[in-house]
Amino acid sequence: MAMDLTSWLETLAAQAPGELVTVRRPVEPAAFESAAVVDALESQKRYPAVLFEQVRDLEGRPTDCRILNNTFGTFRKIALALGLDTGQRMPLIERMLELSGKSLEPVRVALPEAPVRHWVWQGEDIDLTRLPLIRHTELDGGPYFTPIVVSRSPQGRYNVSWNRMQYLDPTHLAIYMSPRHLSAYFAEAEAAGRDLPIAVVLGHHPAFHLTGALLTPLDADEYAVAGGVMGEPLGLIPSLSFGEELLVPSEAELVLEGRILAGKRCVEGPFGEFTGYAGPQRLSWVVEISAVYGRQRPTIIDIFPCYSEHINAHLPIEASIYQRAKQAAPGVIKTCWVGSGGPFNLIISLKKKTEGEPMRAALAAISASNFIKHVIVVDDDVDPEDLAQVMWALSSRVQADQDLSILRNLQGQVLDPSLRHEIKTSGMVIDATRPLDRPFPRRGEVPEQLRQNLNLDDYLEG
């Protein structure tokens, strides 16, 4: 069976039926209705994938599309996309790193066998109002898609990235690009007076979408990386608009082809971001759509911004950060970024052997991603996922004048609402580990051997 969204939904229904709910009544995503359903579930601390079977287009008309929310709402759903069944962070992070290191070269698929070409809009048939664009938060500047954008460098490397896209008119979308690979490709094309061809993938196997959040090296082709993460080579076909110049995934649900236009800018936003805040309006870029095609009944994966799914979808970034920190300090045991109490904080658990290791691990993490500005390093007897334990270590193992280091003039994350400069920020490292160069009290605990061997049920019977 091909690795596609249908196969993942079947896996979810079979192995974790409580992780999937279906909404069969008609909903209007552009009127916040699908977002309101997911919001109501989250308010009850429920995070199942939500499949909306009947969704209306931008003008309120019925469509053949479906929308899937909360695909990444829990670690278990992410794990099932990667061939693992766990709800635990570290086994999942290790699995991501294992798979992302096993690149598989993509394969070509014959056009008649490509499910994504069941129907096609080109020329005058293109009308984005016929699609179910979504409004999520009340300050959104308009209806949005939250897709994967595929692009190709002049050297032939494929990039896969998550980018928000706002509806402008029936043939144009605005795109926001962080200063990474996609923006670099466009800058190079624009400097030469060229538009940049892209494909907008609105649905695929969740493992393909997760590739968009990996901190992949610049020399790695992300179509090959996606194959490794998915566990089988990615199937590709030539694009309708650009032919062999841009290959697109054959098992996708729905694809928009277009160009990021050189010399064109537009006002885009506000948009609810992973920070939990509505980001400001920005001067962004314009995409002109040249083709739309999809499966017979395509399912659009929509990321619910500002809420749990949005930050969980960043877990591949944490995997890359953990890898960098552990390379710098092998004593690193665990990290916690997703769930650290804030999207720009990282907590590192370290089996410290020498003084200075905490700072080395923290600096490696900060250098790995501009998402990180605050790092707390704790000993391996503190679970970084338990904020009560972290706060206990902070209160009892830290002297602010000695264990807190301020870092200035760092490149920040432009979505950080606390920035006073467009991108420059400051950082902080808190060493909440026990000192090794002087005596320090031990924790008051029951003997470890007894704790490990005790069966509580033996004492509580009757």
Side-chain angles (χ1 to χ4, degrees), residues 162-226:
W162 245 310
N163 297 85
R164 71 194 201 207
M165 302 187 78
Q166 180 183 339
Y167 172 84
L168 296 177
D169 64 41
T171 57
H172 293 88
L173 296 166
I175 182 171
Y176 173 73
M177 297 185 286
S178 295
R180 281 186 55 77
H181 301 168
L182 176 61
S183 63
Y185 294 177
F186 174 71
E188 185 174 352
E190 187 176 47
R194 300 192 308 269
D195 302 333
L196 181 70
I198 63 169
V200 180
V201 179
L202 289 167
H204 203 303
H205 192 282
F208 176 79
H209 286 250
L210 288 168
T211 306
L214 284 168
L215 300 181
T216 309
L218 274 171
D219 59 350
D221 188 288
E222 292 189 1
Y223 270 172
V225 174

Side-chain angles (χ1 to χ4, degrees), residues 237-316:
I237 55 174
S239 58
L240 276 173
S241 307
F242 314 108
E244 297 291 327
E245 184 183 352
L246 185 72
L247 303 178
V248 299
S250 60
E251 303 296 325
E253 295 286 318
L254 181 61
V255 170
L256 316 179
E257 292 179 2
R259 296 173 173 84
I260 306 179
L261 300 179
K264 298 288 185 181
R265 300 293 188 272
C266 67
V267 175
E268 177 265 341
F271 181 75
E273 271 294 349
F274 72 98
T275 59
Y277 294 90
Q281 287 187 325
R282 295 184 178 277
L283 193 63
S284 292
W285 299 264
V286 178
V287 177
E288 186 171 80
I289 301 302
S290 54
V292 181
Y293 46 89
R295 290 175 176 250
Q296 182 173 7
R297 194 163 182 230
T299 300
I300 294 170
I301 288 183
D302 176 50
I303 303 301
F304 190 36
C306 271
Y307 287 77
S308 297
E309 179 185 26
H310 202 178
I311 190 71
N312 284 353
H314 289 74
L315 199 65

